[in-house]
């Protein structure tokens, strides 16, 4: 091949490559708009994740649709995604391992869905996550203790208006960069187990918006009380007052100690009796041996003397 033909072939290859990249970037799902690496599919009544999403998409908005499932494989191809908005959909039940290949994701909005629980496997692969919104999920009743243990960059967390009644203190306390936590309008059960979380809230430097709506729902005596007032009340009730189960526990402990003391005294008495009997037998045997030796020593050999008198 002549040098001229080689140059033409090289130019043709770059032309085809550039055309392919242009086609890939120009593709856009139907019913969505695409611009500047952003795909917007808001309010299109979608039932599932749209196809033909450009692989270099950075921002994907799926808000106000009827999507009930996010396919893990399809999301894995969107490795450059940093912003995902899935609010006002029908996502629920189980999202574990859904976001496996989205290590660059910084913003995730799952509010206004049907989430029921958050476990370690739900967001464990989102190492770059900074903003997480899971508010307005009325069926969300459980966030596991280690749910955010891999999300060390998390700064903004919103769990307002859910079905939560309890949140372990270490779930949020161990987030080194957390600066914003919204958890108002939940049905918090303010018992003694919740005291540590309330104490952390009153002493933390984290910003808690809508503080007037952060109140207790149960028990009845603490309903509608704000967190600072509840902390003082719980300190008084939990640290100085004993309940029925506490008295039962103390009685059981006392009975166990009493029974253990009796058993120890009984065993000690048996051991003392056995030792006494054993030592008494030893002393009697020693006395008998001494008497026998003494008797043998006092016997006089009479036969030789009698023989001498006869002579």
């Amino acid at each position: 091949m002549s040098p001229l033909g080689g140059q033409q072939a090289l130019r043709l290859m770059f032309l085809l490559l550039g055309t392919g990249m242009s086609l890939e970037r120009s593709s856009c799902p139907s019913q969505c708009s695409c611009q500047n690496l952003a795909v917007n599919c808001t309010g299109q009544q979608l039932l599932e994740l749209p196809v033909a999403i450009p692989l270099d998409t950075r921002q994907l908005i799926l808000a106000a649709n009827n999507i009930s499932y996010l396919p893990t494989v399809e999301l894995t191809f969107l490795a450059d995604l940093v912003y995902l908005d899935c609010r006002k959909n029908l996502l629920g039940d189980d999202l574990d391992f859904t976001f496996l290949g989205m290590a660059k994701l910084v913003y995730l909005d799952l509010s206004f869905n049907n989430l029921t629980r958050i476990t370690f496997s739900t967001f464990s692969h989102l190492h770059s996550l900074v903003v997480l919104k899971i508010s307005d999920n009325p069926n969300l009743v459980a966030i596991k203790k280690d749910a955010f243990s891999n999300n060390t960059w998390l700064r903004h967390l919103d769990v307002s208006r859910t079905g939560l009644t309890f949140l372990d203190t270490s779930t949020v306390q161990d987030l080194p960069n957390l600066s914003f936590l919204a958890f108002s309008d939940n049905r918090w059960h303010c018992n003694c187990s919740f005291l540590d979380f309330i104490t952390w809230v009153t002493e933390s430097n984290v910003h808690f918006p809508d503080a007037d709506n952060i109140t207790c729902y149960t028990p009845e005596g603490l309903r509608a009380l704000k967190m600072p007032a509840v902390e003082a009340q719980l300190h008084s009730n939990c640290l100085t007052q004993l309940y029925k189960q506490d008295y039962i526990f103390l009685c059981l402990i006392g009975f166990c100690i009493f029974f253990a003391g009796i058993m120890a005294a009984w065993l000690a008495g048996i051991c003392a009796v056995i030792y006494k009997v054993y030592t008494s037998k030893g002393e009697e045997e020693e006395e008998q041996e001494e008497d026998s030796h003494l008797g043998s020593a006092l016997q006089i050999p009479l036969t030789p003397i009698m023989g001498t008198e006869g002579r």
Side-chain angles (χ1 to χ4, degrees), residues 101-121:
M102 309 181 71
K104 297 181 181 180
L105 196 67
V106 173
Y107 181 99
L108 177 60
D109 191 345
L110 296 172
S111 57
F112 295 94
N113 277 280
N114 294 324
L115 305 183
T116 58
R117 64 189 180 95
I118 304 296
T119 69
F120 171 77
S121 303

Side-chain angles (χ1 to χ4, degrees), residues 113-184:
N113 277 280
N114 294 324
L115 305 183
T116 58
R117 64 189 180 95
I118 304 296
T119 69
F120 171 77
S121 303
T122 307
F123 306 122
S124 59
H125 294 83
L126 301 180
H127 301 289
S128 302
L129 193 63
V130 175
V131 177
L132 176 61
K133 297 181 179 181
I134 50 178
S135 63
D136 298 281
N137 281 276
N139 297 320
L140 179 59
V141 296
I143 297 180
K144 297 300 181 180
K145 182 178 180 179
D146 58 351
F148 309 124
S149 57
N150 280 3
N151 311 121
T152 55
W153 288 104
L154 193 62
R155 296 178 58 87
H156 181 115
L157 176 62
D158 190 351
V159 294
S160 302
R161 296 173 297 279
T162 66
L164 291 174
T165 60
F166 175 79
L167 187 63
D168 194 280
T169 309
S170 62
T171 305
V172 290
Q173 186 180 28
D174 295 339
L175 294 173
N177 295 296
L178 187 66
S179 59
F180 180 99
L181 175 61
F183 62 101
S184 61

Side-chain angles (χ1 to χ4, degrees), residues 25-167:
R25 292 184 178 180
S26 62
S27 63
C28 186
S30 59
Q31 298 179 306
C32 300
S33 61
C34 302
Q35 184 179 9
N36 298 328
L37 303 179
V39 178
N40 191 341
C41 307
T42 302
Q44 298 300 317
Q45 302 300 314
L46 299 176
L47 300 178
E48 58 184 9
L49 187 73
V51 297
I53 299 177
L55 300 183
D56 58 352
T57 299
R58 298 292 182 88
Q59 182 179 10
L60 177 60
I61 303 176
L62 302 171
N65 285 288
N66 296 317
I67 301 174
S68 60
Y69 172 71
L70 292 176
T72 303
V73 176
E74 283 80 350
L75 288 178
T76 303
F77 292 131
L78 304 176
D80 292 329
L81 201 66
V82 297
Y83 184 104
L84 178 60
D85 185 354
C86 296
R87 56 192 164 89
K88 296 184 179 180
N89 276 281
L90 302 177
L91 298 173
D93 295 334
D94 191 2
L95 289 178
D96 288 356
F97 304 105
T98 298
F99 309 103
L100 280 177
M102 309 181 71
K104 297 181 181 180
L105 196 67
V106 173
Y107 181 99
L108 177 60
D109 191 345
L110 296 172
S111 57
F112 295 94
N113 277 280
N114 294 324
L115 305 183
T116 58
R117 64 189 180 95
I118 304 296
T119 69
F120 171 77
S121 303
T122 307
F123 306 122
S124 59
H125 294 83
L126 301 180
H127 301 289
S128 302
L129 193 63
V130 175
V131 177
L132 176 61
K133 297 181 179 181
I134 50 178
S135 63
D136 298 281
N137 281 276
N139 297 320
L140 179 59
V141 296
I143 297 180
K144 297 300 181 180
K145 182 178 180 179
D146 58 351
F148 309 124
S149 57
N150 280 3
N151 311 121
T152 55
W153 288 104
L154 193 62
R155 296 178 58 87
H156 181 115
L157 176 62
D158 190 351
V159 294
S160 302
R161 296 173 297 279
T162 66
L164 291 174
T165 60
F166 175 79
L167 187 63

